[in-house]
Amino acid sequence: MEQLFDILRELINNGFGIWGIIMFVQMRKYKKAQLTHDTVAVYQKIAESNNETLLQQNEKIILLEEKVSRFLAVITRMEECKHYVVCPARPVVQDYKRKYFHVPTRQSRLEQKGQRYPRDNPDIDSRIDNPDGRPP
């Protein structure tokens, strides 16, 4: 619909002859080029703003990593201190480690189901031809 109005406007402005059609075709090419140029400019602005944002975020992440590494260095130094047992910061450090550093544990008994280890219960006969009743 918009193109129809453009055609009518160009024809009325330039006359209804061949000259009007030629001017309309030229203006149409110019408007298409202008539209693509505007689109490219908008995308370039978006890309530049995204790059600036990413650079700022990277700087913040680097600063945060430095702070965390310094904090971990302080914690390790506190644990090596000879007064750590009576230190008032000890519960804070232990809570922090308990919350963020999980100690690997063994499998639970449910996860071990079906596996028998030789020393589980040596009093029960394990159906081995050993006279002790214990595995070799």
Side-chain angles (χ1 to χ4, degrees), residues 54-72:
L54 288 175
L55 288 174
Q56 290 173 355
Q57 287 178 351
N58 286 343
E59 291 173 0
K60 288 179 182 178
I61 289 172
I62 290 170
L63 290 173
L64 186 64
E65 286 177 349
E66 290 175 357
K67 288 180 181 179
V68 168
S69 65
R70 283 190 227 132
F71 183 65
L72 289 175

Side-chain angles (χ1 to χ4, degrees), residues 9-99:
R9 188 182 66 218
E10 293 295 327
L11 288 177
I12 291 171
N13 289 341
N14 298 321
F16 288 99
I18 295 176
W19 182 253
I21 295 172
I22 292 171
M23 288 300 290
F24 171 73
V25 170
Q26 287 180 349
M27 288 299 287
R28 187 170 178 218
K29 287 181 183 177
Y30 172 72
K31 287 189 180 200
K32 277 188 178 180
Q34 187 179 11
L35 181 66
T36 56
H37 176 66
D38 290 344
T39 306
V40 168
V42 167
Y43 281 121
Q44 283 178 345
K45 287 180 183 177
I46 291 171
E48 289 173 0
S49 69
N50 284 347
N51 287 340
E52 291 173 3
T53 305
L54 288 175
L55 288 174
Q56 290 173 355
Q57 287 178 351
N58 286 343
E59 291 173 0
K60 288 179 182 178
I61 289 172
I62 290 170
L63 290 173
L64 186 64
E65 286 177 349
E66 290 175 357
K67 288 180 181 179
V68 168
S69 65
R70 283 190 227 132
F71 183 65
L72 289 175
V74 168
I75 288 177
T76 54
R77 287 182 65 197
M78 284 176 67
E79 289 177 341
E80 293 170 359
C81 178
K82 63 181 179 179
H83 303 293
Y84 180 68
V85 178
V86 293
C87 182
R90 180 179 175 199
V92 176
V93 173
Q94 287 177 341
D95 289 342
Y96 176 81
K97 287 181 75 174
R98 193 176 307 120
K99 186 174 181 182

Side-chain angles (χ1 to χ4, degrees), residues 1-10 24 28 31:
M1 193 69 180
E2 191 174 311
Q3 286 183 350
L4 179 64
F5 289 128
D6 286 341
I7 291 170
L8 290 175
R9 188 182 66 218
E10 293 295 327
F24 171 73
R28 187 170 178 218
K31 287 189 180 200

